[in-house]
Amino acid sequence: MEKYSQYRDRAIFDPIFTASYPSTRLVQPISLFQAVIYAFQQPQIQPPANASLIELEALIRKYPSRVVAVFPECTTTNGRGILPFSGSLLTAPRSSKIFPISLRYTPADITTALPGSYVSFLWNLNSKPTHCIRVRIAECTYNTSRGPRRAIGGRDTLHDDTESSTDTLLGSEDSPGVTAAEKSVLNQVADALARLGRVKRVGLGVKDKIEKVGHVLFSPAAANVLATSSGDYTVKIWDVEAGSPRLTLKHTDIVQSLSWSANGSLIVTTSRDKKLRIWDVRQERPAHTVQGHAGAKNSRVTWMGEHDRIATTGFSKMSDRQLGLWDIRDPKEPIEGFHMLDSISGVCMPFWDDSTQCLYLAGKGDGNIRYFEYEHNRFEYLSEYKSPDPQRGVAFLPKRGVNMHENEVMRAFKTVNDSYIEPISFIVPRRAEVFQGDIYPPVVGTKPAMSAAEWFEGMEGLPPKIDLESVYEGEEPTEVPSSSKPVSRVPSTVTMLSPPKQEPVSVPSTNEPEPVIDAPQSSPLRGPPPSIKEQTSSIANLAAKYDDKEESSSGEDDTSSFEEVAKPIERHKFKPVEKPGQTIESAADPRKLGSPVSPTKLAAPVSPSKPASSAPPFSSQSGSATSQAGSDQVTLQDIKSLLESQSRTISGQSEKIAMLTAEVDRLKTTIGDKM
């Protein structure tokens, strides 16, 4: 038992580490320190020139009491997939037990050390005092390709020599001389690792993974200039005419997204190390490197056309989807912080429309596409397209290809169930009888601003634009200068009306007239607060509102060229009486504020015996002031007499109410006594 315990401790803490290569079946024995260093380096297709290579059978025979650790994927993994194996396991002796083992950190955001990510790995590893490593071990298997099947205890523990259904997932680095029995062994171990890690097997091997192209994006300004990202953590700028890369932008991790600026001089990228980088492309160095979204899932970025702004989508540490707006001149943090969208797990893909200043967000695995309007350094939510069919990928048609006769502003294409492509039209709900210039400003055409050679020499510029009105009319696209900016847009639900023409308004004053003011038609017209004398005419003004307007409109255009005289306005049936020496200012009729009104002062008393309605308007110039005063003014005596009459009426009604109340009380008392 003691001997077994020593063997177990040695097996766990003193293994022999080996490095596998996809180009050979031999392995290279390495130390623990070398294994750690290799984990932070790029995987290699060929072994080093001075490497000591050996078969597993010879290594096990040399160290029969020690465990041999083999990495058949030829690299470390992030736990998201099982790569095709190399042939190193096929050199193991048939009697040796092969145990598939899966090691995973807990929590899940700390993965196995990946090449080029040693800084972030050490930071995540040391940011918490304790960590857990989950170890899962599958049932042992044997290398049946080196001999007949082995039965233990009457039970066959091995698969037969037939080909597995996962043969098609073997990488391109596998030797063409692999037999069906050897494929069965490799498939059995790979399937066991996939079950332990709860992941799937993938068809890309180490060589394919290094050479894998993740993104392809042409320059929007220069012809035949192409940017590509690959698994070697680089973005290469290609001269398509020459067929070779000219510039290389080196990252420290997998590039997840990239986008060009409008003039093609800058590129913005996001990568798996959670960094946002703005590159000066021809200098091959980042102008800014800042912290992006903090979540472990993928992030996306898009340049917002000719603006000096970029938009990003990603995840928070709590796996909430976020939207960020950045200023490229000061990208230390997003403008107004990150905006939380929802808690769905799918990656959100941003698409920018420079003509309508709208941002479209399509989630991978979602059926919805929501869109926002960019205004005043923020995104305003507009609406959302909803569908029960999830999308795997989305692409948008260039603006010059939309149907302008139906007011279509954007058209998207999404893949549904990997079986067909569904078009989605975004239409402004308005009548399309004529060309709508506010939603169809000039857009970038098909002609570039410069050639590839000029761009690599340092030239910059915006590509020429085309006038969409010519396309709307079915004519040849008309080219306009590239400096043309989108016009101010009008919301489709708002009808713009020209303001009505207003008449000048003169406000009465005791000194000199006020300046003329153009007042909106919808807003009420108000003059200065009335004086105590002007308040005496309130009852007359109230009665004048119901007078016939035709009587005063007949002489509306009659004016005197010799003397400025105000137009008389009939307001009340009573004629005011003025005391000798009393002066009363006339109040302007609110219905006549459209025409100038001059204040008139009464110097002579007005006879109360003559009715105010008997004086015709403009009977003579000499009696105009007296007639206007007789028709417009109400004396304090008339108001006093009116108030006294109303007081007597109220007093009489109060006495009647008191009598009725007393009678009711008397009846209640009588009824109560009888009962």
Side-chain angles (χ1 to χ4, degrees), residues 316-528:
S316 66
K317 289 185 177 180
M318 303 301 294
S319 297
D320 296 324
R321 291 202 295 193
Q322 295 176 330
L323 172 63
L325 175 64
W326 306 76
D327 185 351
I328 66 170
R329 297 167 299 183
D330 186 19
K332 295 180 181 179
E333 58 184 12
I335 300 174
E336 299 183 0
F338 291 111
H339 172 67
M340 191 186 75
L341 299 174
D342 48 45
S343 300
I344 303 177
S345 60
V347 177
C348 209
M349 299 171 286
F351 300 91
W352 172 253
D353 180 20
D354 201 34
S355 59
T356 58
Q357 304 293 293
C358 289
L359 180 70
Y360 295 80
L361 300 182
K364 189 174 182 180
D366 303 346
N368 306 341
I369 300 177
R370 65 189 75 182
Y371 38 100
F372 301 78
E373 180 184 9
Y374 172 70
E375 189 175 12
H376 304 304
N377 268 346
R378 62 184 307 173
F379 291 113
E380 298 290 346
Y381 174 77
L382 294 180
S383 186
E384 182 178 7
Y385 163 79
K386 297 183 179 181
S387 172
D389 300 323
Q391 58 240 2
R392 291 287 300 275
V394 176
F396 278 79
L397 186 72
K399 194 60 174 282
R400 57 183 180 270
V402 299
N403 187 357
M404 290 176 285
H405 292 273
E406 298 294 337
N407 289 339
E408 183 185 34
V409 293
M410 286 291 279
R411 185 185 302 174
F413 298 91
K414 77 172 188 178
T415 59
V416 180
N417 299 328
D418 293 337
S419 57
Y420 64 92
I421 297 176
E422 176 185 355
I424 304 171
S425 295
F426 296 88
I427 298 175
V428 176
R430 62 167 70 164
R431 299 182 64 180
E433 296 179 353
V434 295
F435 176 73
Q436 308 292 322
D438 58 337
I439 58 177
Y440 296 114
V443 297
V444 176
T446 58
K447 184 178 179 181
M450 67 203 79
S451 64
E454 293 173 338
W455 185 85
F456 282 108
E457 290 175 359
M459 184 176 176
E460 292 183 8
L462 295 174
K465 299 182 179 180
I466 58 174
D467 186 8
L468 291 180
E469 187 172 4
S470 58
V471 180
Y472 178 86
E473 300 295 341
E475 303 173 356
E476 189 72 18
T478 303
E479 200 171 280
V480 297
S482 58
S483 59
S484 299
K485 298 291 184 180
V487 297
S488 299
R489 295 177 293 107
V490 180
S492 59
T493 58
V494 178
T495 302
M496 299 298 294
L497 299 176
S498 59
K501 184 177 180 181
Q502 301 296 331
E503 295 290 339
V505 178
S506 177
V507 181
S509 175
T510 57
N511 298 326
E512 293 183 358
E514 296 287 341
V516 176
I517 302 175
D518 291 336
Q521 188 177 13
S522 59
S523 62
L525 295 175
R526 296 183 181 271

Side-chain angles (χ1 to χ4, degrees), residues 158-171:
L158 301 178
H159 293 277
D160 54 17
D161 294 340
T162 58
E163 294 188 12
S164 172
S165 59
T166 56
D167 293 339
T168 56
L169 298 180
L170 293 176

Side-chain angles (χ1 to χ4, degrees), residues 43-108:
Q44 300 179 4
I45 305 301
Q46 300 290 339
N50 57 351
S52 176
L53 303 180
I54 190 174
E55 287 188 352
L56 286 177
E57 185 175 7
L59 188 62
I60 293 173
R61 189 165 52 248
K62 184 177 180 180
Y63 302 98
S65 60
R66 298 180 63 182
V67 173
V68 179
V70 182
F71 300 92
E73 294 179 278
C74 306
T75 181
T76 55
T77 177
N78 60 359
R80 299 180 182 177
I82 303 299
L83 302 181
F85 287 174
S86 69
S88 58
L89 286 177
L90 300 177
T91 62
R94 63 179 183 180
S95 59
S96 297
K97 298 179 180 180
I98 302 175
F99 289 93
I101 301 178
S102 173
L103 303 177
R104 294 289 299 272
Y105 283 96
T106 303

Side-chain angles (χ1 to χ4, degrees), residues 114-248:
L114 299 176
S117 61
Y118 58 91
V119 175
S120 60
F121 171 76
L122 294 176
W123 174 265
N124 293 333
L125 189 64
N126 298 323
S127 60
K128 297 181 180 180
T130 58
H131 295 282
C132 296
I133 299 179
R134 184 183 61 198
V135 181
R136 290 174 175 168
I137 304 177
E139 184 182 5
C140 70
T141 185
Y142 298 89
N143 182 15
T144 57
S145 62
R146 284 209 161 192
R149 286 182 289 179
R150 177 188 177 115
I152 300 179
R155 181 173 59 91
D156 190 357
T157 61
L158 301 178
H159 293 277
D160 54 17
D161 294 340
T162 58
E163 294 188 12
S164 172
S165 59
T166 56
D167 293 339
T168 56
L169 298 180
L170 293 176
S172 59
E173 68 267 22
D174 294 315
S175 173
V178 177
T179 63
E182 292 173 339
K183 287 183 180 180
S184 177
V185 173
L186 297 178
N187 288 332
Q188 184 178 358
V189 178
D191 291 341
L193 286 177
R195 289 193 301 270
L196 294 177
R198 272 72 168 173
V199 294
K200 296 181 179 180
R201 297 180 60 184
V202 297
L204 295 178
V206 173
K207 183 178 180 180
D208 299 327
K209 193 174 182 180
I210 294 176
E211 299 176 352
K212 173 188 175 182
V213 176
H215 302 86
V216 177
L217 192 61
F218 278 96
S219 170
N224 298 321
V225 175
L226 180 67
T228 63
S229 67
S230 55
D232 57 354
Y233 309 157
T234 62
V235 173
K236 295 182 179 179
I237 311 300
W238 296 74
D239 185 352
V240 179
E241 296 177 353
S244 60
R246 297 280 299 273
L247 304 171
T248 302

